């Protein structure tokens, strides 16, 4: 059997409207390299005893303080392009969910801060790229929900 040198991670795309109905996505500002200071999706490594979804819920809570149940997550996709993480071979499973309000989020663990950003702002070229391949995961999640009849960005 060949050695598998890939690390496994998970990322979370949490969407919620503000009081005016504009959709936002919860992002964290990375506190460490790679991509220190850049905005990213909450997420991290899957522990040996966890499923991807359980790790997503744990990482979301550790990095943002937002508690969530894993059965409410929709799987967005698998992100496995070689080179997506400068630390080495990393494969990530992204999950998403739509909430009816924006819970208070506070940066924790290795996140400098957590903040709700308008989806249209994050998708614009003025925002700058998210860390890793999180721009692709965001676009995929927006498409997934659009197919389900939820328009997160115009």
């Amino acid at each position: 059997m060949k050695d598998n040198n890939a690390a496994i991670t998970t990322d979370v795309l949490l969407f919620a409207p503000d009081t005016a109905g504009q959709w936002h996505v919860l992002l964290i500002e990375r506190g460490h390299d790679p991509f220190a200071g850049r905005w990213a999706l909450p997420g991290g490594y899957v522990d040996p005893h966890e499923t991807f979804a359980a790790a997503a819920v744990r990482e979301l809570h550790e990095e943002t303080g937002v508690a969530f149940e894993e059965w409410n997550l929709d799987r967005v996709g698998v992100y496995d392009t070689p080179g997506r993480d400068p630390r080495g071979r990393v494969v990530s499973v992204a999950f998403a969910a739509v909430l009816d309000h924006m819970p208070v989020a506070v940066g924790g663990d290795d996140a400098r801060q957590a903040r709700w950003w308008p989806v249209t702002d994050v998708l614009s070229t003025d925002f700058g790229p998210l860390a890793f391949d999180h721009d692709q995961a965001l676009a995929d999640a927006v498409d997934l929900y659009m197919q389900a009849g939820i328009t997160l960005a115009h």
Side-chain angles (χ1 to χ4, degrees):
M1 180 163 70
K2 208 177 212 185
D3 285 338
N4 180 0
N5 60 356
I8 55 173
T9 63
T10 186
D11 297 304
V12 182
L13 296 115
L14 210 53
F15 299 99
D18 63 15
T19 55
Q22 183 180 25
W23 286 99
H24 287 64
V25 61
L26 182 59
L27 299 177
I28 57 127
E29 181 184 6
R30 290 188 51 82
H32 304 292
D33 281 327
F35 305 111
R38 193 175 297 174
W39 292 98
L41 301 174
Y45 291 100
V46 178
D47 289 340
H49 66 280
E50 290 180 307
T51 63
F52 281 97
V57 168
R58 176 184 53 78
E59 286 287 341
L60 178 67
H61 188 259
E62 287 176 2
E63 293 185 345
T64 70
V66 175
F68 203 72
E69 299 296 333
E70 65 184 86
W71 61 78
N72 291 319
L73 294 171
D74 298 311
R75 190 174 312 173
V76 176
V78 175
Y79 299 86
D80 61 354
T81 302
R84 66 177 294 274
D85 188 321
R87 295 171 290 193
R89 183 80 168 115
V90 178
V91 176
S92 187
V93 176
F95 293 92
V98 172
L99 306 179
D100 62 0
H101 71 285
M102 291 187 291
V104 173
V106 178
D109 195 25
D110 56 353
R112 279 191 194 145
Q113 63 176 311
R115 181 174 167 193
W116 290 95
W117 287 93
V119 173
T120 52
D121 289 0
V122 178
L123 290 172
S124 78
T125 54
D126 293 336
F127 191 83
L130 297 176
F132 308 103
D133 53 3
H134 292 175
D135 289 301
Q136 184 61 56
L138 175 59
D140 292 347
V142 168
D143 288 345
L144 175 76
Y145 285 120
M146 187 173 293
Q147 291 173 18
I150 301 169
T151 303
L152 300 171
H154 301 285

